[in-house]
Amino acid sequence: MKFLFFIGIAGITLFEILNVFFIMPMPGSQSINSIELAFFLYTNRWIFRFGFLILSVAGAYHTFVFNKLIFFFALAISITTFYVLNFVMAADAMFYQPKSLLLVEAKSNKIPLDRLIIGVNIEGESKAYPISLIGYHHQVRDKVGDKEVMVTYCTVCRTGRVFEPKVNGKLEVFRLVGMDHFNAMFEDKTTKSWWRQANGEALIGPLKGTLLPEIQAQQMSLAMWLKLYPNSKIMQPDPEFKENYDSTGKYETGKSKKELTGTDSLSWKRKSWVVGIEIAHKSVAIDWNRLKKERIIQLDLANKPILLVLANDDRSFFAFERPNKQSSFVFKGNKLFENNQVYNLKGQALSSNLALKPIAAHQEFWHSWETFHPNTTKY
């Protein structure tokens, strides 16, 4: 009967390792298409655990009598593995949502003005969420204007997205469950489906293929955001997680040397920066180095004329739909010039009621944009 104990101990130990391996950034785990297997293991985890536990219990007495030292050693390894993988290395045990969400006006703000933020403006209400904070939390729940919002960020993909956390018209609760192809995944409380942070799509589970409504947001420096939206409120650090935040700004500026979050300075490498734009299932990735050099890029995407500009701070970028394919803009002094019209970075004409239509654009690591937009055009 001793073999039952060892089969049970080995089985549960191996299972716990595999259960975490496929949804955490372990060597090789994020380069394979394993979402179905990962979901199967995770969904049926208690069946596996109880099955191996029964085997262990069935052979425990005989193993204990045979050799107490081996018995306790094997048991200790199994218990330690279970604890570390489920209470230390689990995604929602490593990253927590804010315990207290504090947003203040500019006069009370403590966030340095050169830090990057994800900004949201809905029905005249504006709020800024610093990447240094949401990069740790991964998601922040709030309300802007009349909408509930879920502000998300994945530092391994450099993806900031804002969604309306509604499923089938009802507000839903999400928790960080792990990652797939290096992108954060959330699990909804009701159906236990897994959702991709980069585009709000349910990857697997009862709601597979469903998309969360995305809310247009912008990434820029806090200084630039406050110039455009001076009455905005700014998220402040939660004192309980002070030690977890990025206080140096190395990640934001591309100076981080960490394997998962570092930046490639050359173009079109895995961790090179691009600005991705998607229209009508057509997408383009614009090289960040090229954007820094040219400042304004004008092209057509899905039969729509668009433009992308990089502000003088080298951090804030803006995308708009051009009036027509013949229109050509000049960008100077953080203003857009076209014929007799001058536009600010909100896309508003300074001397008329004309306005350019903003387009969603996202700064992202090239490996991430390419993975989730495999047919993208490179620019």
Side-chain angles (χ1 to χ4, degrees), residues 40 74 127 200 267 280 346-347 359 376:
F40 172 77
K127 292 185 178 182
S267 302
K346 282 186 175 182
I359 295 174
T376 194

Side-chain angles (χ1 to χ4, degrees), residues 92-158:
D92 57 353
M94 297 170 66
F95 306 100
Y96 296 90
Q97 294 184 50
K99 296 293 179 65
S100 58
L101 182 59
L102 175 64
L103 289 100
V104 302
E105 296 178 348
K107 63 182 180 181
S108 302
N109 170 58
K110 302 298 182 182
I111 301 293
L113 295 178
D114 64 342
R115 302 306 294 265
L116 291 177
I117 59 93
I118 300 297
V120 183
N121 178 57
I122 301 176
E123 295 188 350
E125 183 174 20
S126 305
K127 292 185 178 182
Y129 303 88
I131 286 176
S132 59
L133 308 184
I134 56 175
Y136 165 74
H137 293 298
H138 282 72
Q139 70 155 313
V140 171
R141 295 290 291 266
D142 199 7
K143 187 172 184 178
V144 184
D146 65 343
K147 288 187 180 296
E148 297 283 342
V149 298
M150 177 179 172
V151 184
T152 71
Y153 199 87
C154 176
T155 56
V156 183
C157 284
R158 205 174 176 90

Side-chain angles (χ1 to χ4, degrees), residues 263-274:
T263 297
D264 288 315
S265 59
L266 300 178
S267 302
W268 305 116
K269 304 297 183 181
R270 290 193 72 257
K271 293 298 186 69
S272 299
W273 295 356
V274 300

Side-chain angles (χ1 to χ4, degrees), residues 307-366:
L307 66 86
L308 175 70
V309 296
L310 179 65
N312 291 346
D313 63 4
D314 286 338
R315 315 191 82 191
S316 308
F317 57 93
F318 304 83
F320 302 99
E321 184 176 330
R322 301 187 342 255
N324 54 66
K325 291 186 177 181
Q326 289 70 44
S327 59
S328 180
F329 287 75
V330 174
F331 185 58
K332 186 177 180 180
N334 283 345
K335 292 183 175 62
L336 285 160
F337 299 83
E338 195 261 340
N339 291 331
N340 296 322
Q341 296 292 336
V342 182
Y343 300 85
N344 62 21
L345 289 177
K346 282 186 175 182
Q348 300 170 335
L350 302 184
S351 58
S352 71
N353 293 325
L354 295 176
L356 301 175
K357 180 182 177 182
I359 295 174
H362 307 284
Q363 188 187 63
E364 201 157 322
F365 285 136
W366 168 235

